[in-house]
């Protein structure tokens, strides 16, 4: 039973990581690439780590890996936000089909 | 249902390798520095995935401490690069 759970977690995580990598390669814009990188790969690697938690089942390993999941869930959006803001300020262009640009009128510094 | 080792050997490792190669193409092509930084951030996560798969495949939880440190180091590197992109634009 626990083996089936681990197999499902690993297959779902692999699929999400592959989708994220394809998105990083194929998306037309820096910001859309950042979106694909930060969302899909966060969930994919968290599912990998959850599989390791179910596999080992040890007390110390469980808490260390749960702390790792919390670290990834906190730091990945912060990193994506920092990179996106720096890329916008350094003048990278939006995709020509993007409709809204909320930072166009503001003077971010 | 397939076993855990078959899942890792036939699904998880190949998908990680293919993702690594796709992100490598993006890092080589990438028009701006921000694209390359995004690729490097994702490569840090892929290293985490390799370590997790290795520890499950060989049943050795020794390397799992590295995962925590690698997540933190990857975030620090990305934050430093964002700061560098910001300041480097402002200076010239």
């Amino acid at each position: 039973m626990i083996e089936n759970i681990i197999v499902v977690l690993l297959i779902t995580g692999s699929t999400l990581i592959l989708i994220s990598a394809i998105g990083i390669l194929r998306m037309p814009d820096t910001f859309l690439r950042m979106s694909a990188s930060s969302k899909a790969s966060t969930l994919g690697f968290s599912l990998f780590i959850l599989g390791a938690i179910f596999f080992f089942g040890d007390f110390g390993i469980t808490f260390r890996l749960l702390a790792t999941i919390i670290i990834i869930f906190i730091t990945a959006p912060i990193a994506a936000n920092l990179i996106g803001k720096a890329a916008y300020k350094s003048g990278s262009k939006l995709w020509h089909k993007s409709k809204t640009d909320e930072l166009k009128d503001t003077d971010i510094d | 249902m397939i076993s855990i080792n078959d899942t890792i050997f036939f699904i998880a490792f190949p998908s990680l390798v293919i993702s690594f190669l796709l992100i490598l193409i993006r890092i080589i092509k990438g028009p701006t520095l921000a694209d390359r930084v995004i690729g490097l951030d994702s490569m840090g996560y892929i290293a985490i995935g390799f370590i997790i798969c290795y520890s499950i495949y060989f049943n050795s939880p020794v390397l799992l401490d590295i995962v925590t440190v690698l997540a933190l180091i990857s975030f620090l590197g990305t934050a430093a690069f964002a700061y560098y992109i910001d300041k480097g634009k402002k200076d010239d």
Side-chain angles (χ1 to χ4, degrees):
Chain A
M1 183 60 204
I2 202 86
E3 189 167 340
N4 295 351
I5 292 175
I6 296 168
V7 167
V8 168
L9 284 173
L10 286 174
I11 290 176
T12 318
S14 308
T15 314
L16 280 169
I17 291 164
L18 202 56
I19 288 172
S20 156
I22 294 171
I24 290 174
L25 184 62
R26 294 289 298 163
M27 283 283 187
D29 188 3
T30 304
F31 307 102
L32 293 174
R33 272 174 222 139
M34 184 197 65
S35 164
S37 150
S38 71
K39 289 180 185 64
S41 68
T42 304
L43 189 57
F45 291 111
S46 299
L47 289 181
F48 264 34
I49 295 173
L50 211 58
I53 287 174
F54 278 119
F55 182 77
F56 288 109
D58 188 46
F59 194 73
I61 293 172
T62 300
F63 274 91
R64 267 178 286 169
L65 291 181
L66 279 178
T68 310
I69 290 180
I70 292 171
I71 286 170
I72 288 179
F73 264 83
I74 290 174
T75 57
I78 297 174
N81 187 14
L82 285 172
I83 286 290
K85 222 159 136 187
Y88 191 88
K89 272 198 276 186
S90 73
S92 86
K93 293 274 184 294
L94 267 73
W95 190 33
H96 62 92
K97 283 184 187 170
S98 294
K99 290 278 195 307
T100 60
D101 183 8
E102 292 184 347
L103 292 176
K104 188 164 60 177
D105 298 327
T106 57
D107 187 21
I108 54 172
D109 219 1
Chain B
M1 208 67 189
I2 55 179
S3 69
I4 296 175
N5 278 357
D6 282 348
T7 309
I8 289 176
F9 195 80
F10 289 113
I11 296 174
F13 271 140
S15 86
L16 282 173
V17 171
I18 292 170
S19 312
F20 187 86
L21 292 177
L22 292 178
I23 292 171
L24 196 65
I25 294 172
R26 172 49 69 195
I27 288 179
I28 293 169
K29 269 171 64 177
T32 62
L33 182 58
D35 293 316
R36 298 193 169 98
V37 175
I38 291 166
L40 284 176
D41 190 31
S42 301
M43 270 194 183
Y45 285 127
I46 282 183
I48 290 175
F50 271 120
I51 292 171
I52 292 283
C53 289
Y54 182 89
S55 347
I56 295 178
Y57 192 78
F58 290 103
N59 198 3
S60 68
V62 188
L63 291 175
L64 286 177
D65 295 335
I66 304 174
V67 169
T68 311
V69 180
L70 206 56
L72 283 170
I73 293 292
S74 169
F75 167 68
L76 279 184
T78 311
F81 263 116
Y83 185 77
Y84 167 67
I85 292 172
D86 201 358
K87 295 296 173 188
K89 182 61 188 173
K90 200 169 283 182
D91 282 342
D92 56 33

